[in-house]
Amino acid sequence: MRTRVRRSAAALCCPLLLVSVVAGATGKMDSQNIISGDLSKATAIHVHPFSTADADLGNPKFRDTANAMAKAAPHLLATDIVEALRGAGFSSVTLDESNKGIPPDALNVTGRFTRLDPGSQNLRVWIGFGAGESKVCISGTVTDAGGNKLADFADCRNGLGWGSSGPQANEGAEILGERVAKFLIDWSADSVP
């Protein structure tokens, strides 16, 4: 009987949590600021892996999972930004692993993870309703080839609240990547005369 009650509660809550995560992927970031400049889909953009050096890794008890997140998240975020921009029609988007070199006039998207907290899988399973969920936060800038800052942004996303920590962290990085890309896509749309 207990198992049925738990499964029923999970069945009711999971769709709501998934809807909120998907809805979060399409909204604006917590902070986004265009300082100067126009952006077009023909503008060369180079996406650098975001640093994890000073990220808050959460509870020391889960440091092994946080360290795994710190290794995977920069690449996941960078590739998600690049793929989303290319999918939106940006014609010259590169990352460090690109075969073609970085165009000399490319805008640079750089940043850092400020928080990579895997949360607690046990709390998610036994308590649920947001307890123990992961949290991934970033801050970044867009600069021109000369290093002048054109824009800055920051965002945090909470995990799904269910399942293991690693996949939630990856999900968080993917959502953040899509949100960074959406910021750049919206900027290019606003720059059109």
Side-chain angles (χ1 to χ4, degrees):
M1 185 65 132
R2 265 190 180 163
T3 304
R4 282 191 199 136
V5 171
R6 245 187 238 140
R7 285 185 187 155
S8 296
L12 290 172
C13 294
C14 283
L16 294 174
L17 290 169
L18 290 174
V19 168
S20 68
V21 169
V22 171
T26 59
K28 290 190 175 193
M29 290 187 286
D30 296 337
S31 169
Q32 56 187 50
N33 181 33
I34 299 171
I35 298 165
S36 69
D38 287 334
L39 183 66
S40 78
K41 290 186 176 181
T43 302
I45 299 174
H46 185 77
V47 180
H48 297 267
F50 283 30
S51 170
T52 59
D54 297 319
D56 173 0
L57 300 179
N59 188 332
K61 183 176 179 180
F62 307 110
R63 194 56 40 95
D64 54 346
T65 304
N67 286 333
M69 287 172 60
K71 289 178 185 173
H75 178 72
L76 289 171
L77 182 68
T79 56
D80 287 336
I81 295 169
V82 168
E83 288 176 9
L85 290 174
R86 288 177 180 166
F90 282 76
S91 58
S92 181
V93 184
T94 57
L95 55 114
D96 288 355
E97 293 83 4
S98 296
N99 288 333
K100 56 184 178 178
I102 303 168
D105 61 341
L107 299 184
N108 291 286
V109 178
T110 58
R112 63 187 186 93
F113 285 86
T114 57
R115 187 164 183 191
L116 279 167
D117 184 349
S120 168
Q121 180 178 357
N122 288 336
L123 287 175
R124 286 191 296 277
V125 171
W126 293 107
I127 297 174
F129 302 105
E133 69 184 348
S134 62
K135 187 164 191 150
V136 179
C137 301
I138 59 168
S139 67
T141 60
V142 179
T143 57
D144 64 17
N148 301 306
K149 184 167 36 168
L150 304 177
D152 57 35
F153 53 87
D155 203 16
C156 287
R157 294 293 103 194
N158 290 339
L160 297 176
W162 298 93
S164 64
S165 299
Q168 284 192 61
N170 294 346
E171 179 82 15
E174 290 171 16
I175 291 170
L176 285 171
E178 293 165 7
R179 290 166 66 89
V180 171
K182 184 176 182 330
F183 168 58
L184 296 171
I185 293 164
D186 290 348
W187 182 5
S188 72
D190 292 342
S191 296
V192 175

